[in-house]
Amino acid sequence: MAKTTTTLLIGAAILATAACSKKRPETLPPPPGAAVDQGPGGPGGGVGAVVPGSAEDFRRSVASDTVNFGLDMYDIDGTARGILDSQADWLQRYPNARITLEGHCDERGTREYNLALGDRRANSAKNYLVARGISASRITTISYGKERPAALGSDEASYAQNRRAVTVVLSGGGSMGGV
Amino acid sequence: MIRTLLALSLTLLAGSAATAQQLPTPDVGDPAPAPAQAPAAPANGGSELVVDVTGGISAPLPIAIPVMPAVSVAQTAAGSTDALGRQLAEIVTNDLRNSGLFTPLDPSRLRSVTFPEVTAPAYDYWGGTGAQALVQGYVRANGDGTLTVGCYLYDVSSRAELSRQGFVVSPGDWRRAAHKCADTVYTRLTGEGPYFDSRVVYVSETGPKAKRIKRLAIMDQDGANHRFLTNGQTIVLTPRFAPNQQSIVYMSYLGRIPSIYVYDIGSGRQRLVVRNAATTFAPRFSPDGRYILYSQATGGNTDIYRVSSGGGAPQRLTNAPGIDTGGSYSPDGRRIVFESDRSGGQQLYVMNADGSNQQRISFGGGRYATPVWSPRGDLIAFTRIAGAFRVGVMNAGGGGEKLLTNSWQDEGPSWAPNGRVLMFFRQGRGNAGKADLWSVDLTGVNERRVPTPLDGSDPGWGPLRP
Amino acid sequence: MERSEKIGLGVAGAGHLILFGLLSIGFLATPNPAKFKQQPMEVSLAPEVAIEQAAPEIATDPAQSVAPEEGLPEDAAPPAPDQPAPAPEPEPRPAPAPPEPAPPRPAPRPAPAPKPAPVRPAKPKPAPAAERAPARPAPKAPAKPARTAAPVRPAAATRGSGSTQTATATKPRGSRLGADFLKGLSPEASNSRNPNPPATRIGARAAANIGSAIQRQIQPCANRQVTPGPGAERIRVAINLRINKDGSLAGRPTVRGHDGVDGENERYVARVDDLAIAAFVGCAPLTGLPPELYAVPGGWSNFTLRYKLPG
């Protein structure tokens, strides 16, 4: 009896955590200089027209568009390195893409200092990407301080989410929506 | 075994015997209470009698402010004079009460005062009300459309007039006459400088936490005459008045490049102060209006610069690795206090106005941010971060630290023109946490919320209006 | 149980009983704590020694001094070389003490100066009193004629006769009334029966009593004054008050000076001045002050009030 319960529990746990696995890229990106036309009916086209080199493509291709930081920190840790590496890869495939790095802070800091700290974080990520071979002229930085939190709570988990640098691909120089 | 027991017993006995020898100390009883306030004998042995008296309380002063009679009832552009008389008394009452230093008597309980009585108060009646001071005034509509407001202050126990003032104002400024009258009363009865006739510029907030709508707003310090200056489509932050009160400098995300602008209050137009692509923020005017101090973030390092307010080449003032920001001039314009994390965490530093001689002044444990120099020059207000965010003051040389508030997150203090009151903003916790403007007296009493139509943050208290 | 154990228990039990006994004795010996309670004592500070003569109650119109009956002058006993001036005694004792000089006479001072004291008319005016006799035994002391027992006559001195130095030293003599001892006396007899000795100024004790009477009356009004701000409690202001005989203010008080003003509380000085004046005016007029101490120097017609806020 106990063994059945245990098995059920383990099975349920596996099912529950199965959804949390990291999304892998479906297909390997084509080598540089490959065919440009990939029509909507292309093999394995999937959901609608994801224009390669676009922001949508970026979000689907890279590990994450966000790297997080420790309290009052702005250094790139191991996890962040992995994420930025994947971003650097994508950027190298699409040399015309330009990005903005947004630096953000949690609410537990004064307003002006957080503007400076957000700038530090954005620049930290930028410097890493530049070191990985991305031209600095393709990257702009902006700090939002604590003005645009991602998580609204006043707890440590929310704060950890808010301490971040977000990479936003600028599509065609158009606006990215509200400021 | 017996020997052990014997030894133990003897030891016990010896110890107890020693204890028994100690008599309890005699109770000497309470010493006689000293005769209260025994007067000193003639101090110099000379011929004059000297009496010493010490007494007083730390409490708001009871004061009576009856309705101000109109010299004659007339219609003005601001309403009828008798209605104005009521409203003027109300504004004076609210100003004095909100300072925390006065307890105005309930106006509905006070008798109405006739115009002749304004200069000849009925002291017998007022003495019976318990008021120690009395404010009487009158309103008159002048032939040219302006208003004259008289303001008289009396000491009820000495039956003496303490001060009198008259103010001639245009109908649009009628509230300022009441603020000026309240200032006359306040300065005479406290010794402090005036502050009621001043305005506050701040950021009005509304909307969800992730996407707050922020608008520049301006209002009288008592909340009246409130109006919005921007439309909320871009984030705006940290506004400050120019010393001549004709413009406001602030930071905006217009065009997605955080930059600082000067907004002209009269015309409603604004101009960019520094033309470059770097992030510039935290702007303030120098006391003489000639310079704008600001912070610029380049390549992850933030430093303080100043630029001539008319435009021109900026001059860099700090050059340390680390974040140097904030910055507030001393009232004589010769020094600047700012915050820097060059030592590892935010602390306060003072430097000369040209950037030389940078010295740390905060050593209290915890981090210190948002320093603002008092208009009196004696104190520096700050936000102290040690778990909670608390507003406090310290001496201009450092030391003498005193914390004035004790909430979860209070930050961004701004001084009233007389250096006696501080306004700051208080952030609430949680998903729905919002910010409000609050004020507190320098002694830590009278912490109160400043009423605004929506939520608010980043207050910048302007100078006294001339 | 073993025998050794029994012995041990016995010893322990006996020891406990002895211990108990000793402790009980100790408790019994404890003195009653109540006996040690000290009696409260009222302390009034006033210097007793004054350079000038003073009387606690000054007579503006004292009884006329009557010249005492005297016999022929005679040699006084040789005075001790360093006989001290008769200092006023701390306790109110009338004359009986031997070295005391005689009560008021037509002499300016009872100092044992071996000189003929210039005769001064006894006027119905405060003249330096012989001693600060207290009010209570006063009826006895001043009017008393010269005690014949007192060997010292603080008046004309003559040289004694004898061979030794001390014998031939000048000695105080009994007074010879000068030819003009009636000078200045008014022909009318004074009707005053005021037993108090005349004096020029209030004694320190009397001053202390008046001062505390004034302070008690002003205190309730002082307690109502509101402090203007932090640091004001360091300021002490001295204001000069002129009072009418009925206790009311005779004119606008004037500020004499300040203590404790520094850069931080300077702005409150004017307000503290206000508060001091209001403290007095609120409780004016003063009542119950002795009228005879009104006009003398140090009296309450003109005094200084030193006021400060608590803290």
Side-chain angles (χ1 to χ4, degrees), chain B residues 80-418:
Chain B
S80 73
T81 48
D82 53 342
L84 279 176
R86 249 192 322 278
Q87 291 166 303
L88 287 165
E90 228 172 80
I91 295 171
V92 173
T93 301
N94 289 336
D95 276 349
L96 292 177
R97 187 198 313 110
N98 292 337
S99 73
L101 306 183
F102 297 89
T103 302
L105 270 52
D106 179 4
S108 59
R109 303 268 182 89
L110 305 178
R111 72 188 241 173
S112 44
V113 167
T114 59
F115 178 63
E117 207 180 312
V118 171
T119 44
Y123 285 118
D124 292 330
Y125 168 78
W126 295 110
T129 60
Q132 292 188 19
L134 167 67
V135 180
Q136 299 194 142
Y138 66 83
V139 187
R140 183 177 64 221
N142 301 325
D144 57 358
T146 59
L147 298 164
T148 298
V149 176
C151 177
Y152 297 77
L153 173 65
Y154 300 97
D155 185 312
V156 173
S157 35
S158 321
R159 300 183 168 224
E161 179 185 298
L162 293 181
S163 73
R164 65 167 67 180
Q165 285 272 359
F167 309 102
V168 180
V169 289
S170 63
D173 277 342
W174 70 270
R175 292 186 72 98
R176 291 189 59 196
H179 291 309
K180 289 283 188 219
C181 178
D183 271 333
T184 308
V185 170
Y186 175 85
T187 54
R188 185 70 179 80
L189 296 180
T190 65
E192 303 286 1
Y195 76 102
F196 295 125
D197 188 23
S198 57
R199 291 176 296 178
V200 174
V201 64
Y202 75 102
V203 171
S204 171
E205 299 192 359
T206 185
K209 202 170 170 185
K211 221 164 180 337
R212 280 271 148 77
I213 298 175
K214 296 200 164 188
R215 286 186 272 188
L216 272 192
I218 188 175
M219 62 182 182
D220 293 349
Q221 58 80 21
D222 66 348
N225 290 329
H226 183 283
R227 70 187 167 101
F228 296 103
L229 302 179
T230 64
N231 60 12
Q233 283 183 349
T234 60
I235 300 175
V236 290
L237 301 175
T238 63
R240 299 284 178 98
F241 268 100
N244 66 5
Q245 304 192 53
Q246 283 166 12
S247 54
I248 293 166
V249 68
Y250 71 103
M251 184 265 226
S252 164
Y253 277 79
L254 187 65
R256 300 187 82 239
I257 304 175
S259 307
I260 53 184
Y261 296 84
V262 171
Y263 175 99
D264 185 278
I265 299 178
S267 67
R269 288 208 293 270
Q270 62 186 25
R271 60 178 174 88
L272 187 61
V273 174
V274 178
R275 297 191 169 276
N276 61 24
T279 297
T280 53
F281 57 101
R284 307 87 169 83
F285 276 95
S286 64
D288 58 8
R290 287 176 52 206
Y291 292 103
I292 293 175
L293 203 65
Y294 64 95
S295 303
Q296 180 168 305
T298 325
N301 187 30
T302 300
D303 284 302
I304 299 176
Y305 294 69
R306 77 171 175 187
V307 66
S308 167
S309 43
Q315 177 192 351
R316 184 171 183 163
L317 300 181
T318 70
N319 201 358
I323 294 175
D324 302 325
T325 185
S328 168
Y329 277 92
S330 60
D332 61 8
R334 309 230 312 258
R335 286 177 300 163
I336 295 171
V337 61
F338 63 99
E339 60 174 289
S340 169
D341 69 357
R342 60 186 69 174
S343 73
Q346 288 160 283
Q347 297 294 335
L348 304 187
Y349 293 75
V350 171
M351 64 181 174
N352 294 331
D354 61 2
S356 60
N357 196 24
Q358 299 175 6
Q359 305 281 342
R360 178 171 161 178
I361 63 166
S362 62
F363 296 96
R367 289 175 291 150
Y368 294 81
T370 74
V372 269
W373 213 307
S374 162
R376 293 208 287 231
D378 54 349
L379 297 171
I380 290 172
F382 54 83
T383 304
R384 180 168 178 266
I385 305 167
F389 285 46
R390 301 172 67 176
V391 169
V393 294
M394 67 168 71
N395 297 334
E401 188 180 311
K402 183 172 171 195
L403 293 174
L404 303 181
T405 73
N406 193 6
S407 184
W408 178 67
Q409 186 153 344
D410 294 336
E411 67 174 280
S414 176
W415 287 97
N418 68 351

Side-chain angles (χ1 to χ4, degrees), chain B residues 16 47-48 52 55 188 192, chain C residues 19 225 268 274 298 304 306-307:
Chain B
S16 315
S47 57
E48 189 170 58
D52 278 310
R188 185 70 179 80
E192 303 286 1
Chain C
L19 171 62
Q225 303 308 317
Y268 303 124
D274 281 351
T304 294
R306 292 201 300 212
Y307 171 77

Side-chain angles (χ1 to χ4, degrees), chain C residues 31-110:
Chain C
N32 188 350
K35 287 191 199 151
F36 285 80
K37 231 181 179 72
Q38 288 185 354
Q39 303 302 324
M41 180 167 85
E42 188 121 331
V43 174
S44 173
L45 303 169
E48 297 296 329
V49 181
I51 292 176
E52 298 174 345
Q53 280 110 28
E57 293 187 15
I58 303 171
T60 52
D61 186 17
Q64 206 167 35
S65 298
V66 176
E69 294 287 331
E70 286 192 11
L72 287 169
E74 56 193 49
D75 267 325
D82 53 341
Q83 188 154 31
E89 308 249 343
E91 272 306 289
R93 291 278 166 274
E100 273 189 2
R105 324 170 121 263
R109 283 185 186 272

Side-chain angles (χ1 to χ4, degrees), chain B residues 45-67:
Chain B
S47 57
E48 189 170 58
L49 178 63
V50 176
V51 180
D52 278 310
V53 177
T54 300
I57 42 173
S58 187
L61 184 79
I63 188 168
I65 306 155
V67 167

Side-chain angles (χ1 to χ4, degrees), chain C residues 157-238:
Chain C
T158 54
R159 287 200 155 265
S161 52
S163 50
T164 63
Q165 172 117 22
T166 44
T168 48
T170 50
K171 301 162 209 166
R173 304 277 297 179
S175 73
R176 285 175 196 257
L177 300 175
D180 201 14
F181 80 99
L182 288 175
K183 180 165 111 181
L185 281 177
S186 65
E188 303 91 25
S190 164
N191 290 325
S192 166
R193 289 285 173 263
N194 191 326
N196 295 333
T200 48
R201 51 184 298 277
I202 292 195
R205 244 240 220 97
N209 288 338
I210 297 177
S212 98
I214 295 174
Q215 177 259 316
R216 263 197 308 278
Q217 291 188 34
I218 297 178
Q219 190 67 50
C221 294
N223 289 343
R224 290 189 307 141
Q225 303 308 317
V226 170
T227 180
E233 68 285 349
R234 295 195 293 273
I235 302 175
R236 189 171 67 170
V237 59

